[in-house]
Amino acid sequence: MSFTSFARPLAAVVLGLCAAQPAWAAYPERPIKYVLSSGAGSAPDTLMRMVLQEVGQRMGATFVVENRSGAAGLLAMQAIANAEPDGYTVGHGNTQTLGISPSLSPQSATAAQRVDLIVQVGYTANLLSVRPGLPVDSVQSLIDYAKAHPGKLVYASAGNGTSGHVGAELFREMSGIEIVHAPYRSAPAGVNDVMAGHVDMVFDNMAGSLPFAKEGKLKALAVTSARRSPLIPELPTVSEAGVKGFEVTAWSGVIAPKGVPADRIEAINRAVNAVLKEPRIIQGMRDLGYEVAGGTSQSFTDMVLRERAKWAGVIKSSGASID
């Protein structure tokens, strides 16, 4: 057989493989499921539906949001971790599921180890608010009042082990005060009781508390982020108002089961970062109380590991636990 006669069928095979490659590598070819640990209509749900609609347009795909709330986000995390690692099931990771819960239960720790982080979407400060009738008007006067009445002030949270709970415990430790925890079944229930005067204070997200503070139903003292919030720039941070170094933010991002091909992780990361630069998305997020994040998978991973270590220390020293 001549070299030419041998080369022709070989070339045909190579060309056939090359022609088949784009069809095999095309992504996405079908809708992508997005598993969310928050209920329909919640701030995270509204945020991600807004972002994912634009991401889907850039990727030529449809994102289908599956709301799977319950067990402090564990149900959603397990659904993501157990999914086929093909890029067609991704989901939501946040302060609770990636930062706090891994130090509270073995199941949460296992789930967090079985996901990869794609991109941080955004973050929001919490608002430190007190009941209108409490005779304080600043963080320092709150601390002074608490020290004068040890164990008398009661703070609400959305439940044991939530960010509102461990954030308040961090505040308690750093300010040297004694306050009592009152866990509720949800954040709105706790906020309602602060407004009604049944409990004294609460650390809650901006979306949940800021409207009530602007109406005078809550007395807002400070934001918990490192910098003042553009949503209420006249309000100081907790750090500048008396507890130096205090910082708590609620952050979230896109995650996937371990093993998704790197090119598919990169495709989602690239599309999300592009969307987060759009002015109307930036404004839409701010309207919900969020600031844009973005960045690489590695920067998201590094941030989560720092946060996890921070909350592990708070949980250990405070004895915080889940229900």
Side-chain angles (χ1 to χ4, degrees), residues 17 30 33 46 52 57 75 96 107 117 124 134 145 148 157 193 199 210 216 224 226 229 234 257 288 303 309 320:
L17 288 173
R30 61 180 190 269
K33 181 192 295 184
T46 303
L52 291 173
Q57 290 178 3
L75 299 181
Q96 181 71 56
Q107 297 95 328
L117 311 186
T124 179
L134 194 68
Y145 185 91
S157 83
D193 264 11
V199 290
L210 186 56
T224 63
S229 170
E234 68 275 15
L288 291 169
M303 183 276 291

Side-chain angles (χ1 to χ4, degrees), residues 18-322:
C18 291
Q21 181 70 11
W24 175 83
Y27 172 79
E29 296 178 301
R30 61 180 190 269
I32 300 172
K33 181 192 295 184
Y34 192 88
V35 182
L36 189 68
S37 57
S38 301
S42 63
D45 178 74
T46 303
L47 165 70
M48 290 313 302
R49 287 180 189 273
M50 175 180 67
V51 171
L52 291 173
Q53 182 176 2
E54 299 296 323
V55 172
Q57 290 178 3
R58 285 184 173 270
M59 295 182 66
T62 299
F63 281 84
V64 179
V65 176
E66 179 181 295
N67 300 95
R68 190 173 290 203
S69 57
L74 179 59
L75 299 181
M77 284 290 289
Q78 289 177 331
I80 298 164
N82 292 334
E84 189 72 24
D86 55 8
Y88 288 100
T89 297
V90 295
H92 205 64
N94 57 27
T95 309
Q96 181 71 56
T97 57
L98 295 173
I100 297 172
S101 291
S103 295
L104 290 169
S105 80
Q107 297 95 328
S108 295
T110 298
Q113 291 167 359
R114 296 179 56 220
V115 298
D116 284 329
L117 311 186
I118 299 179
V119 60
Q120 184 183 357
V121 172
Y123 61 93
T124 179
N126 284 337
L127 200 61
L128 167 55
S129 302
V130 299
R131 59 181 173 86
L134 194 68
V136 302
D137 57 9
S138 67
V139 172
Q140 189 57 56
S141 62
L142 173 65
I143 293 171
D144 293 341
Y145 185 91
K147 288 183 176 179
H149 304 83
K152 298 299 184 182
L153 290 181
V154 179
Y155 72 90
S157 83
N160 289 319
T162 60
S163 60
H165 174 204
V166 296
E169 287 299 311
L170 179 62
F171 179 79
R172 180 188 63 78
E173 287 185 9
M174 293 182 69
S175 60
I177 61 175
E178 288 302 324
I179 51 179
V180 178
H181 180 213
Y184 285 76
R185 296 184 66 86
S186 68
V191 170
N192 285 340
D193 264 11
V194 176
M195 291 191 292
H198 301 313
V199 290
D200 301 296
M201 54 187 286
V202 65
F203 286 87
D204 185 41
N205 63 67
M206 297 281 279
S209 288
L210 186 56
F212 297 123
K214 288 185 173 181
E215 293 172 5
K217 296 178 181 178
L218 287 173
K219 191 188 298 184
L221 301 183
V223 295
T224 63
S225 49
R227 296 184 297 274
R228 294 192 181 202
S229 170
L231 296 174
I232 185 166
E234 68 275 15
L235 208 62
T237 67
V238 173
S239 180
E240 67 179 298
V243 187
K244 189 172 179 59
F246 182 91
E247 180 186 357
V248 174
T249 56
W251 41 262
S252 60
V254 183
I255 64 176
K258 272 197 178 298
V260 173
D263 60 332
R264 299 186 176 188
I265 294 286
E266 178 57 29
I268 297 174
N269 177 280
R270 191 166 52 245
V272 171
N273 273 297
V275 166
L276 294 179
K277 292 181 173 68
E278 296 179 8
R280 65 192 187 88
I281 294 296
I282 295 171
Q283 187 58 53
M285 289 180 63
R286 284 186 173 172
D287 290 343
L288 291 169
Y290 291 89
E291 291 295 314
V292 164
T296 65
S297 297
Q298 189 60 54
S299 65
F300 188 20
T301 300
D302 292 343
M303 183 276 291
V304 167
L305 292 177
R306 289 194 302 271
E307 285 278 290
R308 192 175 296 167
K310 166 184 166 180
W311 292 122
V314 174
I315 289 165
K316 182 178 180 179
S317 61
S318 68
S321 62
I322 56 176

